[in-house]
Amino acid sequence: MRSLIELTCYVLPEIRSFDRRIHREEEGEAMYGFEALTFNIHGGYLEAIVRGYRSGLLTAADYNNLCQCETLDDIKMHLSATEYGTYLQNGALISHSSSRCGSDSVSRICADLRDSGRHVLVSYIPDQKPDSFLCRGIAYQPMEKGAKPSPLHTTTIVEKCTLKLLDEYKHMLCQATEPLSTFLEYITYGYMIDNVVLIVTGTLHERDVQELLEKCHPLGMFDSIATLAVAQNMRELYRLVLVDTPLASYFSECITSEDLDDMNIEIMRNTLYKAYLEDFYNFCQKLGGATAEIMSDLLAFEADRRAVNITINSIGTELTRDDRWKLYSNFGLLYPYGHEELAVCEDIDQVRGAMEKYPPYQSIFAKISYGESQMLDKAFYEEEVKRLCLAFEQQFHYAVFFAYMRLKEQEIRNLMWISECVAQNQKTRIHDSVVFIF
Amino acid sequence: MSGQSQRLNVVPTVTMLGVMKARLVGATRGHALLKKKSDALTVQFRQILKKIISTKESMGDVMRNSSFALTEAKYVAGDNIKHVVLESVKSASLRVRSRQDNVAGVKLPRFEHFTDHSAGDAKSDLTGLARGGQQVQSCRTAYVKAIEVLVELASLQTSFLTLDEAIKTTNRRVNALENVVKPRLENTITYIKGELDELEREDFFRLKKIQGYKKREIERREQDAKKYADNIPLKTGISMNSAHNLIFVGAEKDDDIIF
């Protein structure tokens, strides 16, 4: 009896301190190595979902089938046997929405749609709050009898695949809590930057706002994006629109340049992207644990790849060395000595010389022969895919989401390449640029 | 056309004959010249046709290459690259101008392209700076080549059409001269000549007739005179001479016979 009391007196305090550690983790300070204990509380469902999505990516066998297609209709037929089936139906995709709503409103909506003759695919997913459902509905109008199917273009295929990615992303975003939701949003800031730059450029050249909005990437849309067209210069742009978006902090470096002309637009885009990468990197470092480790590796590769590309593409243009240096990110394998060397490079062989000092990049540059830089992009893509696949080997971290988005993007690129080759009758080149993911 | 080669309605005079002959000479010379022109144009036409065929084949290849270059650029730089480039363009830097060429007398339009450097294509050198810049540049060169081929093809095709028109017109004129104008003129000339001949014959005939008349008139008078001279001696028995004297001399101074 007495020993039991002693046991509880000695052991209970340990357990209490153990509790405290768990609480600290729940507040966001992950203890590396112990994620298995607590990750699944908030992130387990979504990690399972994303791993499910990952197993739906096209395999080498699928790609081989697709490469042997003769026409776009064959491709569509093969794709409808994969996860893309519902998206490539002939009926027009009317609406797709993921929203939190009560169960009664959901049944009302379904009844309405069914009455109007449209098909509804609804999936009910229990949400965290006890009495609301996450209603994910895809409504599409079936083809009228006798109507001819619209001719299939490669752009349609790419559009529908991107739509699928968008749906998956929105589904995950709806389910996520902090800090995962912030992490997921960070992934889309890159597309947001592209959209902002596109609209600003278009407005500068007096294009119609609606047309510009249609050309934006769907993952990078935000609510006030249409008001970008109103701004006349950078300061107004910032004050009216951007200060409310997550991109606000990235603009502090660009705010000095008052006028928007064509030279500045491209530099502006790259400066924003540099600020975004650094911000993302710092955020991941704050998250700590496996996320920080894997994400810093992936982001470092991205930063280095951008540095090499910027160097190669600015050889022979008006971009000065200082400007070039300013566009390099301040993290990554190449920082800072590699950047010093890259900034003074004047042709591709010098770049190669600078990069071969770093073993991971040496293998990339070994794949392309002297003087040729066309295959460099494909080599970079292959390396990226390899690293992204490795991210899935570990559990209980957020980098799987980032890896999945990037892999999906690569898959869409592959599909675009295959469809274009088939449509343009260039079957011999089809294997040049398809990067197999598995 | 009723009557394949009619003739012109003219007054069949000698001057008209001269005029018609002059016109016939003109028509003949014009016919020869137009035929030469038509031959020259046909030679040009065939050359252009050959060039068009070869240019069209090369255009198929070039367009294919440039579309593929666009696909490569889209692959590396992202699907949006097309929109990015399109939105950042203010005015075209590659333009086409036309001028007229004179080929065998026919004005053919020819197109040539030139780069308008003021439109500022230097700024778009930075497109795809972070990824895909190389592919974008190679896509641009591919499309510039495609434009060159297309412009050449356009000028060849317009010259083809214009030459075709010109050849048709010239041939029409040659045929018209050969089959309508010249026969008509020849017929007119023949007609005039015929008329003139007929007039001459008529005149000749008239002349002959009148000569005949005159001759007969003279003969008749002589006959008459002779008959009269014979008649008087037969009645009174005096010689014709004295009868003659009787009539002509005696009638002059004679006293009246008074009983």
Side-chain angles (χ1 to χ4, degrees):
Chain A
M1 191 60 160
R2 186 161 165 207
S3 55
L4 194 58
I5 294 171
E6 278 172 10
L7 187 66
T8 49
C9 285
Y10 288 135
V11 170
L12 273 177
E14 300 298 306
I15 295 177
R16 249 182 288 136
S17 65
F18 194 52
D19 262 350
R20 250 178 273 135
R21 258 182 297 191
I22 293 178
H23 280 303
R24 264 212 306 274
E25 276 172 14
E26 281 183 8
E27 280 160 12
E29 260 177 57
M31 212 169 62
Y32 197 8
F34 284 85
E35 286 118 4
L37 292 175
T38 54
F39 185 84
N40 277 342
I41 300 173
H42 296 295
Y45 169 67
L46 281 177
E47 184 173 346
I49 291 274
V50 86
R51 282 184 187 267
Y53 287 153
R54 180 237 192 223
S55 61
L57 288 174
L58 299 176
T59 61
D62 287 324
Y63 283 125
N64 277 329
N65 277 341
L66 288 171
C67 288
Q68 285 167 5
C69 287
E70 294 291 328
T71 67
L72 286 181
D73 284 322
D74 286 344
I75 288 185
K76 184 174 148 188
M77 192 181 72
H78 275 120
L79 281 180
S80 49
T82 66
E83 294 275 316
Y84 290 106
T86 42
Y87 286 80
L88 288 175
Q89 300 280 351
N90 257 340
L93 208 59
I94 293 187
S95 67
H96 41 88
S97 54
S98 309
S99 55
R100 296 170 195 267
C101 43
S103 44
D104 47 351
S105 53
V106 167
S107 48
R108 219 183 330 119
I109 295 173
C110 286
D112 284 339
L113 287 172
R114 227 174 296 134
D115 285 341
S116 64
R118 300 175 193 179
H119 291 225
V120 180
L121 303 173
V122 178
S123 51
Y124 283 88
I125 299 146
D127 196 7
Q128 278 144 354
K129 300 203 201 101
D131 47 303
S132 72
F133 288 100
L134 188 68
C135 165
R136 187 156 161 260
I138 304 173
Y140 72 98
Q141 185 136 20
M143 294 267 297
E144 293 95 21
K145 291 220 178 351
K148 255 177 53 165
S150 58
L152 193 57
H153 291 294
T154 55
T155 45
T156 329
I157 295 181
V158 170
E159 229 178 83
K160 296 277 160 60
C161 297
T162 319
L163 215 54
K164 178 166 192 280
L165 175 60
L166 183 67
D167 276 344
E168 289 169 354
Y169 174 77
K170 282 209 186 128
H171 179 208
M172 291 195 290
L173 190 61
C174 278
Q175 280 289 326
T177 59
E178 292 293 332
L180 181 55
S181 51
T182 319
F183 186 87
L184 286 176
E185 283 172 8
Y186 260 99
I187 299 179
T188 60
Y189 290 169
Y191 301 109
M192 256 191 237
I193 292 174
D194 280 337
N195 286 351
V196 165
V197 171
L198 182 67
I199 293 192
V200 164
T201 324
T203 317
L204 194 65
H205 293 107
E206 281 144 39
R207 308 276 199 260
D208 182 30
V209 178
Q210 282 305 116
E211 283 175 16
L212 291 174
L213 284 178
E214 281 168 18
K215 294 179 181 177
C216 288
H217 196 286
L219 273 174
M221 299 296 277
F222 52 95
D223 284 334
S224 46
I225 195 167
T227 51
L228 279 174
V230 177
Q232 301 292 340
N233 60 21
M234 284 300 292
R235 215 164 273 286
E236 250 185 57
L237 191 73
Y238 184 78
R239 202 171 45 83
L240 284 179
V241 184
L242 294 166
V243 72
D244 294 325
T245 65
L247 302 178
S249 49
Y250 307 150
F251 276 85
S252 57
E253 291 179 41
C254 301
I255 200 91
T256 50
S257 60
E258 282 288 346
D259 36 314
L260 311 166
D261 69 21
D262 298 279
M263 173 72 106
N264 290 344
I265 292 272
E266 196 59 37
I267 293 187
M268 179 173 96
R269 182 209 298 271
N270 283 297
T271 320
L272 289 175
Y273 206 86
K274 168 194 168 184
Y276 155 65
L277 277 182
E278 283 167 9
D279 193 22
F280 201 2
Y281 185 77
N282 292 334
F283 177 72
C284 293
Q285 296 295 93
K286 253 197 314 199
L287 287 177
T291 308
E293 189 182 315
I294 299 177
M295 281 307 293
S296 15
D297 180 44
L298 291 174
L299 289 177
F301 179 76
E302 176 80 17
D304 293 336
R305 181 171 81 165
R306 284 181 66 84
V308 171
N309 277 335
I310 289 176
T311 315
I312 292 182
N313 291 330
S314 58
I315 291 173
T317 65
E318 297 169 3
L319 200 61
T320 65
R321 286 181 188 175
D322 286 332
D323 283 335
R324 213 194 272 180
W325 198 329
K326 272 194 272 188
L327 293 175
Y328 297 150
S329 309
N330 57 8
F331 62 96
L333 205 58
L334 290 176
Y335 172 79
Y337 307 112
H339 288 167
E340 266 178 41
E341 287 186 38
L342 279 180
V344 296
C345 281
E346 289 302 326
D347 76 63
I348 303 214
D349 291 323
Q350 285 179 8
V351 171
R352 178 197 289 272
M355 296 300 285
E356 277 180 348
K357 302 197 181 91
Y358 300 89
Y361 304 127
Q362 187 187 25
S363 54
I364 294 178
F365 274 84
K367 284 191 204 163
I368 60 178
S369 50
Y370 267 98
E372 185 205 281
S373 68
Q374 305 289 47
M375 301 303 290
L376 188 61
D377 290 302
K378 186 183 180 204
F380 271 129
Y381 275 135
E382 279 173 358
E383 179 71 22
E384 188 190 6
V385 164
K386 226 186 327 178
R387 290 181 190 220
L388 290 171
C389 285
L390 284 178
F392 280 95
E393 300 295 321
Q394 228 178 327
Q395 256 191 302
F396 310 125
H397 60 92
Y398 294 152
V400 284
F401 298 97
F402 179 79
Y404 173 70
M405 300 288 287
R406 284 295 164 100
L407 284 175
K408 195 81 180 167
E409 225 185 82
Q410 179 63 33
E411 179 178 288
I412 294 179
R413 255 199 299 266
N414 286 343
L415 282 175
M416 191 269 303
W417 178 261
I418 293 176
S419 337
E420 286 280 346
C421 282
V422 164
Q424 290 178 21
N425 216 358
Q426 297 255 19
K427 302 286 285 292
T428 49
R429 302 286 305 273
I430 209 170
H431 286 287
D432 275 355
S433 292
V434 176
V435 178
F436 295 113
I437 297 185
F438 303 116
Chain B
M1 220 163 74
S2 61
Q4 200 188 354
S5 32
Q6 293 175 320
R7 58 171 176 77
L8 304 160
N9 276 337
V10 287
V11 183
T13 61
V14 180
T15 25
M16 280 318 283
L17 180 68
V19 166
M20 288 296 136
K21 277 198 177 154
R23 275 165 72 168
L24 182 66
V25 164
T28 316
R29 197 177 305 147
H31 175 257
L33 283 175
L34 278 178
K35 210 148 176 42
K36 281 200 200 119
K37 176 176 174 180
S38 166
D39 288 340
L41 289 180
T42 314
V43 162
Q44 284 288 324
F45 190 72
R46 294 236 174 86
Q47 279 178 351
I48 288 189
L49 184 62
K50 223 194 298 185
K51 251 196 276 180
I52 282 187
I53 291 177
S54 69
T55 314
K56 270 199 178 159
E57 282 174 3
S58 82
M59 181 193 81
D61 278 335
V62 163
M63 288 301 283
R64 203 158 170 254
N65 285 345
S66 40
S67 303
F68 200 67
L70 178 64
T71 308
E72 280 180 348
K74 272 207 274 194
Y75 179 77
V76 179
D79 241 355
N80 257 356
I81 190 73
K82 197 167 74 164
H83 302 309
V84 167
V85 170
L86 277 178
E87 299 306 330
S88 61
V89 159
K90 223 183 302 200
S91 71
S93 61
L94 201 61
R95 289 163 192 253
V96 170
R97 63 174 159 224
S98 76
R99 54 187 176 83
Q100 300 260 0
D101 260 2
N102 194 332
V103 169
V106 180
K107 292 230 184 309
L108 298 177
R110 276 221 197 285
F111 302 115
E112 59 186 19
H113 67 90
F114 65 99
T115 337
D116 186 9
H117 287 289
S118 66
D121 56 346
K123 296 204 180 132
S124 52
D125 278 346
L126 287 179
T127 313
L129 187 58
R131 55 180 192 156
Q134 297 258 306
Q135 268 72 10
V136 168
Q137 301 302 331
S138 71
C139 181
R140 179 201 284 176
T141 40
Y143 269 103
V144 165
K145 218 189 316 174
I147 287 186
E148 282 172 12
V149 173
L150 281 175
V151 165
E152 197 186 314
L153 190 62
S155 60
L156 281 177
Q157 281 202 294
T158 35
S159 346
F160 185 79
L161 290 174
T162 324
L163 263 187
D164 193 37
E165 273 298 311
I167 287 181
K168 281 204 183 96
T169 325
T170 316
N171 280 344
R172 222 178 277 145
R173 288 198 193 127
V174 167
N175 289 339
L177 279 178
E178 200 176 300
N179 295 328
V180 175
V181 173
K182 270 177 42 178
R184 224 188 264 175
L185 286 178
E186 283 164 359
N187 286 350
T188 318
I189 290 178
T190 324
Y191 158 75
I192 295 181
K193 278 196 186 149
E195 291 292 312
L196 287 178
D197 278 345
E198 207 174 302
L199 284 173
E200 206 180 306
R201 259 181 277 135
E202 275 179 17
D203 274 349
F204 190 64
F205 184 72
R206 226 174 271 139
L207 214 64
K208 274 276 180 267
K209 217 35 181 207
I210 289 182
Q211 274 183 357
Y213 276 143
K214 280 220 166 122
K215 209 193 238 174
R216 269 202 302 250
E217 187 71 31
I218 290 178
E219 276 179 8
R220 202 173 47 82
R221 281 229 186 116
E222 283 184 357
Q223 287 269 349
D224 277 347
K226 206 191 253 181
K227 213 190 298 182
Y228 188 70
D230 281 339
N231 273 348
I232 295 185
L234 282 172
K235 275 190 187 156
T236 53
I238 50 179
S239 67
M240 210 168 84
N241 225 357
S242 52
H244 173 76
N245 284 339
L246 200 63
I247 293 172
F248 287 108
V249 173
E252 288 169 7
K253 267 202 175 127
D254 225 351
D255 293 346
D256 290 354
I257 301 176
I258 309 172
F259 294 147

